[in-house]
Amino acid sequence: MANLRPRFLQSLLVSALLISTRPALALQTIDARDGVSVEASIALKEATRIKVDGANITEVFGNIYSSNCGGVAAVNRDTGQSLAAINPAGEVVLECDKDKGEIYVKPVSAGGKPINLFISTAKSTYTLILKRVDMPADTIVLKDRGLQQAATHLERTGGPSPSHV
């Protein structure tokens, strides 16, 4: 009987540790629509990739600290001016992959206030509320079902609807 007690306690401890561990965060797929705010989590110390499913990101608006984006316009939300230099009051560093139409964002500091970004494509603008979380690098994929349904309709019918209503 004395042999069973340490084994039972050991298995109980292992079970408790497995249950209490946080699940690993992976790809964040978010249903988004033009003009509707959506929330997502970004890594506190790592870059987070943001992409729009089926579209290239053309512009990013927000309180941006610095940017390397030449083809993607990065605009300071407060002043409305294009970013060419460092904005000392900025909240995120923005990096762009023009070939893939994706962006990478990394918070400048560990603040408690969420970061607001407006991500524009050729057809829509999405409002992101990004919460800073101490986690590894991650990817946020925005899926707009309205655009996907419209593209599917065009493929099936061979063009736009004959009725303008």
Side-chain angles (χ1 to χ4, degrees), residues 36-63:
V36 176
S37 297
V38 293
E39 292 184 4
S41 298
I42 62 170
L44 185 62
K45 299 174 186 169
E46 306 288 333
T48 300
R49 180 173 75 154
I50 301 174
K51 62 185 260 175
V52 178
D53 191 33
N56 287 340
I57 296 174
T58 57
E59 288 186 288
V60 179
F61 296 91
N63 197 4

Side-chain angles (χ1 to χ4, degrees), residues 5 9 34 40 52 56 70 73 83 85-86 99 109 112 117-118 128 132 136 141 145-146 148 150 152 161-163:
R5 186 175 176 120
L9 290 176
D34 190 3
V52 178
N56 287 340
L83 289 176
I86 292 177
D99 296 333
S109 64
L117 284 182
F118 298 92
L128 295 179
R132 302 168 196 171
V141 178
R145 293 189 183 189
Q148 292 172 350
T152 304
S161 173
S163 172

Side-chain angles (χ1 to χ4, degrees), residues 57-60 67-74 96-99 101 103 120:
I57 296 174
T58 57
E59 288 186 288
V60 179
S67 172
N68 77 335
C69 304
V72 173
C96 297
D97 185 342
K98 295 178 258 179
D99 296 333
I103 62 170
S120 293

Side-chain angles (χ1 to χ4, degrees), residues 58-112:
T58 57
E59 288 186 288
V60 179
F61 296 91
N63 197 4
I64 299 169
Y65 177 78
S66 67
S67 172
N68 77 335
C69 304
V72 173
V75 181
N76 185 334
R77 171 186 66 189
D78 299 329
T79 64
Q81 297 179 352
S82 184
L83 289 176
I86 292 177
N87 172 14
E91 297 175 304
V92 294
V93 174
L94 176 66
E95 302 285 329
C96 297
D97 185 342
K98 295 178 258 179
D99 296 333
K100 294 181 181 178
E102 303 171 346
I103 62 170
Y104 299 85
V105 294
K106 180 180 176 185
V108 174
S109 64

